[in-house]
């Protein structure tokens, strides 16, 4: 039985993801065989991210749109100023719904779709192939009583090797299938996007961070992958006849998975969070395939709730800092991290009132130089 909301933004981890209804017919995927979601044992998540996941406080709007993305099997495009909790949202959802370790793709101007799907090292494979060829031609010790190779001097009492024909046998008539001694799968590893699209029984969480910093073509390159939920690995397709299955490592773990005939198709569409600081606009074709959430800096009770989650119940001085932070926020751009840093440090022992005020002022400058000019006083 399905329920709304699956993600609540308030509770401890649970298995509510199992209550999702079937996807819309146009977003149904049938990859297989189904894989189990790896457990998040903390080895792949930094303490900082784990803390932010536990203490994240989602707004009502964020809860509604996260659930919309989960139900519709669509990516969630999260925009907002720096420090508004865009990337932390992905970790919070993954923690509550037990989606396993978050797969993270940090975008730069040089990021490509290929790198996010998989990484292949042809040079290391070439080196491995050369080493395998040298091993094949290296003489091996002759075992007593074993047949001598054709053409070798025959020692009396030693059985001669049978004559062999140089005519190759057709496949299926006794000839062994060619062996990939270089082991192409040993030099190929799935990236964060490629791992997220494996046929997991429950969705994985994928964070595509700062998509607005990408090359202009990358959002369009993502369209087909996010729409189809599948991709191919040409290096494996070329050897699929003699090696139909390849065992590959995935992003963020040493647990191998099997890929058949070089093709990957998802089973449960991943929970994809794309973050943007609003530094550029995206094409309409890209936007219509996403659920869009605009985060704003927290205000009043929400901000106090965030402080309480990170640092405990605020004292009188901390409440004063919160009030001044909110007042200054109307005149320029500030980040919640600045307030948390100021409250934490000004609570240190040994600071008098004047020193605390001066330190708080230095820790909460406006993030834009234009806004900071002439507005330095707390």
């Amino acid at each position: 039985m399905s329920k709304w909301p699956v993600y609540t933004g308030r509770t401890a981890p649970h298995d509510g993801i199992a209550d999702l209804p079937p996807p819309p017919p146009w977003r149904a995927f049938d990859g297989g065989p189904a894989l189990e979601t790896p457990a998040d044992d903390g080895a792949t998540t930094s303490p900082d991210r784990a803390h932010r996941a536990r203490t994240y406080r989602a707004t009502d709007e964020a809860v509604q749109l996260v659930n919309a993305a989960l139900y519709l099997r669509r990516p969630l495009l999260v925009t907002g100023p720096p420090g508004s909790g865009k990337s932390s949202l992905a970790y919070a959802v993954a923690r509550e719904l037990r989606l396993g370790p978050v797969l993270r793709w940090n975008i730069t101007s040089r990021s490509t779709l290929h790198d996010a799907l998989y990484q292949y090292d042809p040079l290391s494979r070439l080196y491995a192939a050369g080493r395998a060829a040298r091993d094949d031609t290296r003489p091996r010790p002759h075992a007593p009583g074993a047949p001598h190779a054709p053409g070798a001097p025959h020692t009396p009492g030693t059985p001669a090797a049978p004559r062999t024909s140089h005519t190759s046998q057709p496949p299926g008539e006794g000839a062994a299938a060619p062996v990939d001694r270089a082991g192409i799968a040993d030099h190929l590893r799935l990236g964060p996007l490629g791992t997220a699209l494996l046929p997991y029984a429950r969705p994985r969480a994928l964070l595509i961070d700062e998509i607005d910093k990408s090359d202009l073509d990358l959002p369009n390159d993502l369209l087909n992958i996010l729409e189809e939920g599948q991709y191919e690995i040409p290096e494996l397709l070329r050897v699929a006849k003699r090696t139909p299955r390849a065992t590959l490592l995935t992003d963020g773990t040493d647990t191998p998975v099997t890929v058949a005939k070089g093709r990957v198709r998802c089973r449960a569409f991943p929970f994809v969070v794309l973050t943007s600081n609003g530094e550029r606009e995206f094409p309409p074709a890209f936007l219509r395939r996403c659920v869009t959430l605009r985060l704003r800096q927290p205000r009043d009770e929400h901000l106090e709730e965030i402080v309480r989650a990170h640092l405990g119940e605020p004292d009188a001085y901390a409440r004063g800092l919160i009030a001044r932070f909110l007042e200054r926020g109307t005149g320029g751009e500030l980040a919640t991290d600045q307030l948390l840093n100021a409250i934490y440090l000004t609570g240190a022992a040994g600071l008098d009132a004047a020193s605390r005020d001066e330190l708080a002022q230095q820790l909460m400058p406006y993030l834009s130089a234009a806004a900071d000019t002439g507005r330095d006083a707390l």
Side-chain angles (χ1 to χ4, degrees):
M1 180 179 179
S2 63
K3 67 176 183 179
W4 180 286
V6 171
Y7 169 68
T8 66
R10 301 291 175 183
T11 60
H14 58 82
D15 291 314
I17 194 69
D19 296 327
L20 272 180
W26 56 90
R27 297 298 293 165
F29 304 97
D30 60 356
L35 301 175
E36 289 188 10
T37 302
D40 190 354
D41 56 5
T44 58
T45 303
S46 69
D48 169 67
R49 292 297 176 187
H51 172 78
R52 289 177 180 271
R54 290 191 304 269
T55 58
Y56 190 83
R57 294 296 181 264
T59 63
D60 291 341
E61 180 185 15
V63 170
Q64 293 292 317
L65 292 178
V66 164
N67 281 280
L70 288 168
Y71 271 63
L72 295 173
R73 276 69 168 183
R74 288 291 186 185
L76 180 68
L77 175 61
V78 185
T79 64
S84 55
K86 300 184 295 296
S87 60
S88 296
L89 176 61
Y91 288 89
V93 175
R95 174 184 176 272
E96 180 179 327
L97 299 182
R98 293 177 176 160
L99 304 183
V102 174
L103 300 162
R104 183 167 184 148
W105 181 18
N106 295 311
I107 300 295
T108 69
S109 59
R110 299 180 299 277
S111 297
T112 65
L113 183 63
H114 181 279
D115 293 336
L117 291 174
Y118 67 94
Q119 298 92 39
Y120 171 57
D121 189 347
L123 292 180
S124 68
R125 188 192 177 210
L126 183 63
Y127 175 78
R131 185 170 54 187
R134 290 194 299 272
D135 290 344
D136 286 342
T137 58
R138 183 177 302 163
R140 289 176 172 78
H142 181 71
H148 278 263
H154 180 64
T155 303
T158 303
R163 293 184 177 273
T164 57
S165 170
H166 293 286
T167 304
S168 60
Q169 293 176 290
E173 298 183 14
V179 177
D180 182 13
R181 294 295 305 277
I184 186 172
D186 294 336
H187 309 278
L188 194 152
R189 184 171 190 143
L190 298 183
L193 177 58
T195 300
L197 291 174
L198 287 168
Y200 289 107
R202 61 171 59 191
R204 293 294 304 272
L206 171 64
L207 172 61
I208 304 178
D209 205 22
E210 298 189 333
I211 185 68
D212 52 334
K213 287 183 168 53
S214 71
D215 179 85
L216 290 176
D217 294 329
L218 183 59
N220 286 326
D221 293 341
L222 274 170
L223 290 180
N224 185 61
I225 296 293
L226 296 179
E227 194 67 16
E228 301 295 331
Q230 62 184 16
Y231 64 97
E232 295 180 343
I233 303 175
E235 291 83 357
L236 296 182
L237 283 172
R238 287 194 288 266
V239 299
K241 286 187 177 180
R242 66 174 185 266
T243 311
R245 295 181 179 275
T247 301
L248 308 177
L249 293 178
T250 59
D251 183 73
T253 178
D254 292 329
T255 302
V257 296
T258 299
V259 173
K261 299 181 179 179
R263 294 182 175 91
V264 176
R265 178 183 297 171
C266 73
R267 187 179 188 91
F269 187 77
F271 175 62
V272 182
V273 175
L274 306 106
T275 71
S276 169
N277 291 325
E279 296 179 3
R280 60 180 278 196
E281 295 184 355
F282 297 102
F286 177 79
L287 292 175
R288 78 173 181 85
R289 288 171 169 85
C290 299
V291 174
T292 302
L293 167 64
R294 168 72 180 178
L295 291 182
R296 297 168 178 81
Q297 290 295 354
R299 304 291 300 175
D300 304 323
E301 293 85 358
H302 186 208
L303 183 59
E304 188 170 320
E305 186 179 356
I306 292 173
V307 172
R308 187 178 296 109
H310 284 272
L311 299 173
E313 190 65 34
D315 59 17
Y317 187 82
R319 291 180 187 277
L321 279 182
I322 293 173
R324 284 183 279 177
F325 179 85
L326 290 170
E327 182 181 355
R328 293 192 77 224
T330 61
E333 189 174 338
L334 295 170
T336 307
D337 279 353
Q338 294 172 287
L339 174 63
L340 293 175
N341 290 336
I343 293 175
Y344 178 79
L345 281 180
T346 55
L351 287 173
D352 55 32
S355 299
R356 294 171 80 183
D357 289 342
E358 182 180 359
L359 181 59
Q361 177 178 331
Q362 293 170 343
L363 290 171
M364 296 193 297
Y366 287 110
L367 299 180
S368 59
D372 203 38
T373 303
R375 294 192 180 99
D376 290 335
L378 274 173

